[in-house]
Amino acid sequence: GACGLRRRLFQELLNASREKLGVAESMLADERDRMATVQGEEQDFKEMIESEYRIRFQLMVEEMNFQSLEGCVFNLNVRENGLNQLMEFATELKEKSQETLQRLNVLGKENMNKLKESEVRLSEQICGLQRITAELEKKCGDYTLALLQLRMAINKTRWVSESLLRQCLEPAQITDLSLCLVTGMSRMLNILQRAVTLDPKTAHPCLVLSEDLRSVSLRNVQQDIPGSPGRFVFGATVLGVEGFTSGRHYWEVDVEKATKWQLGISEDSASSDGDLPAASRDKFLLTGSVMGTDYTFWVFPPLKRVFLRGEQMHKVGVFLDREYGQVAFYDVTNRSLIYNFSSLAFRGAVRPIFSLCIPSGGTSSDSLSICFPHVSPCDVNVSP
């Protein structure tokens, strides 16, 4: 009868309340996880910013020494002017670094405040839902409740429950820390740019290398080629011929004709003779992927998303510093830092690595091309 109908109504409210409570508790756990993630990302970003500006100053010092050795500085007055420029550059670089870090701190605090407010809001909602759930559970089990009391309880509990259940649960809208873009690139990178070439002995059978060994593209049919200890067999990957055991090195790659690519360095951690199995190499990678007009970027290790704003990336610069244990990736077109790895400890030879994605079906015309060095040593001036 009517009493049974009301009990069913209570049960429905109770089930909905329990469901909403579970959602709220799950969201609260997610928000707390995001707090830890944001704090970790902020710290990583700080280290990346400090590392980038530190290496820029070191490159500027090296640039001054390079100009002197190449005869681009002819007298003491010019040399003194160069040193003055270097001091001005150091001051400006420090100001830029502090400005970027300050912007990062502001964004970080804003995000944490948003997440804390979300945590408080969700905690309050969970407490309200817990009270409603407990009250509903009590009333659903109280079969001796008088009809009048039951009607009054239904009206009150239903109004409060539905009011809570109608509230929209949304996670905090936090700001992407990549807004703190590190712009500019050292001109010294042009001097350090290497004429990297591809090593056919390491190329996956589905890859085709150009005659000058500077471009790689996908072949729709896998080639029948002899095996090699260093050949990649699981991914469409090829290494550069050059193995760097010391110094600083830079190369640029045109990625405009690839929908999914991977660039970086591969270290022969246990051997430097080039015969180390491909799967055994230590790698530091940047991955780019295009789907329609959407572009996504990831770095590894560890695997994590890099949020970049702007148009399609055309050229990527890769910088390796053996001495300071750094690998950096740059958007050459926009002249900005994508990501850098720092404090790395290299043991073996380090070689450039290039990868494309084998399509699961159909054909692909994806290709990557290594850019030619394009600078005259004395054309480089001291500037940020």
Side-chain angles (χ1 to χ4, degrees):
C3 189
L5 182 64
R6 291 187 180 95
R7 285 200 180 96
R8 283 197 298 274
L9 176 60
F10 262 123
Q11 189 63 50
E12 288 174 4
L13 285 172
L14 174 59
N15 293 339
S17 179
R18 285 170 175 167
E19 182 180 349
K20 193 69 175 282
L21 178 60
V23 171
E25 288 174 339
S26 177
M27 282 187 62
L28 179 59
D30 289 343
E31 294 293 75
R32 287 172 174 166
D33 286 342
R34 284 214 294 169
M35 280 187 185
T37 300
V38 167
Q39 288 175 326
E41 287 180 349
E42 186 179 353
Q43 183 59 36
D44 289 345
F45 222 109
K46 284 179 180 177
E47 292 174 1
M48 192 171 75
I49 290 168
E50 291 168 351
S51 173
E52 174 64 15
Y53 282 114
R54 185 170 59 249
I55 201 66
R56 285 191 192 183
F57 181 75
Q58 291 163 352
L59 287 174
M60 183 54 65
V61 173
E62 187 168 318
E63 181 179 321
M64 291 290 297
N65 294 334
F66 179 85
Q67 289 178 340
S68 178
L69 290 172
E70 289 294 315
C72 299
V73 177
F74 299 102
N75 58 55
L76 292 176
N77 289 333
V78 175
R79 179 66 176 171
E80 185 176 349
N81 289 338
L83 290 174
N84 289 336
Q85 280 185 293
L86 183 61
M87 294 303 295
E88 291 174 6
F89 174 81
T91 302
E92 184 176 348
L93 207 55
K94 185 176 181 181
E95 290 173 354
K96 282 186 176 181
S97 175
Q98 290 175 342
E99 180 184 337
T100 307
L101 288 170
Q102 185 177 3
R103 192 160 65 248
L104 180 66
N105 286 332
V106 170
L107 281 180
K109 287 178 181 177
E110 286 179 359
N111 282 340
M112 288 308 296
N113 287 337
K114 290 176 184 177
L115 287 167
K116 285 176 181 176
E117 288 172 4
S118 178
E119 182 183 35
V120 170
R121 187 173 65 252
L122 285 166
S123 296
E124 290 174 348
Q125 190 154 31
I126 286 171
C127 288
L129 286 166
Q130 286 173 336
R131 286 196 299 271
I132 293 298
T133 303
E135 189 174 348
L136 285 167
E137 287 173 341
K138 180 180 178 182
K139 287 180 171 57
C140 280
D142 192 353
Y143 294 100
T144 62
L145 196 65
L147 183 60
L148 181 60
Q149 289 177 308
L150 185 60
R151 284 175 179 170
M152 292 173 62
I154 285 175
N155 291 334
K156 177 183 176 183
T157 309
R158 183 178 181 182
W159 182 85
V160 175
S161 299
E162 290 185 343
S163 175
L164 267 176
L165 294 176
R166 281 197 302 269
Q167 289 184 21
C168 184
L169 292 176
E170 292 183 353
Q173 299 297 312
I174 62 175
T175 306
D176 184 5
L177 294 180
S178 69
L179 285 174
C180 298
L181 194 65
V182 182
T183 57
M185 292 171 62
S186 170
R187 294 193 185 193
M188 189 63 189
L189 293 177
N190 290 331
I191 293 178
L192 297 172
Q193 190 170 355
R194 309 304 180 204
V196 171
T197 53
L198 303 171
D199 183 0
K201 294 180 181 178
T202 65
H204 185 278
C206 75
L207 293 178
V208 180
L209 308 187
S210 61
E211 288 186 11
D212 63 0
L213 300 179
R214 301 185 72 86
S215 296
V216 56
S217 57
L218 283 170
R219 176 190 292 267
N220 297 322
V221 179
Q222 191 163 296
Q223 305 171 81
D224 184 15
I225 54 178
S228 171
R231 188 179 302 282
F232 287 88
V233 293
F234 296 111
T237 301
V238 60
L239 294 178
V241 171
E242 295 74 17
F244 303 119
T245 57
S246 63
R248 297 186 176 108
H249 311 274
Y250 175 74
W251 56 97
E252 292 179 359
V253 184
D254 188 331
V255 299
E256 192 172 4
K257 295 180 180 178
T259 55
K260 189 169 184 181
W261 47 265
Q262 202 169 63
L263 302 173
I265 60 110
S266 176
E267 181 191 8
D268 297 352
S269 56
S271 169
S272 59
D273 59 8
D275 290 332
L276 190 69
S280 303
R281 302 176 187 272
D282 292 329
K283 304 175 184 69
F284 295 90
L285 304 169
L286 169 70
T287 299
S289 179
V290 182
M291 291 192 68
T293 58
D294 295 327
Y295 304 93
T296 55
F297 301 92
W298 300 79
V299 290
F300 173 85
L303 182 64
K304 64 179 178 179
R305 179 94 176 261
V306 178
F307 293 92
L308 299 174
R309 302 182 184 277
E311 300 177 355
Q312 178 184 6
M313 197 167 295
H314 301 292
K315 287 183 182 179
V316 175
V318 185
F319 173 66
L320 165 67
D321 188 330
R322 289 280 315 213
E323 182 181 355
Y324 288 93
Q326 181 163 353
V327 176
F329 299 96
Y330 296 93
D331 180 344
V332 176
T333 305
N334 294 324
R335 297 187 60 78
S336 60
L337 177 71
I338 300 171
Y339 191 84
N340 73 20
F341 297 93
S342 58
S343 303
L344 305 177
F346 298 117
R347 296 177 296 277
V350 173
R351 302 172 68 181
I353 188 170
F354 311 84
S355 296
L356 292 168
C357 182
I358 302 174
S360 55
T363 61
S364 172
S365 59
D366 281 11
S367 66
L368 297 171
S369 297
I370 303 168
C371 303
F372 285 96
H374 49 74
V375 71
S376 172
C378 290
D379 288 340
V380 181
N381 298 316
V382 178
S383 67

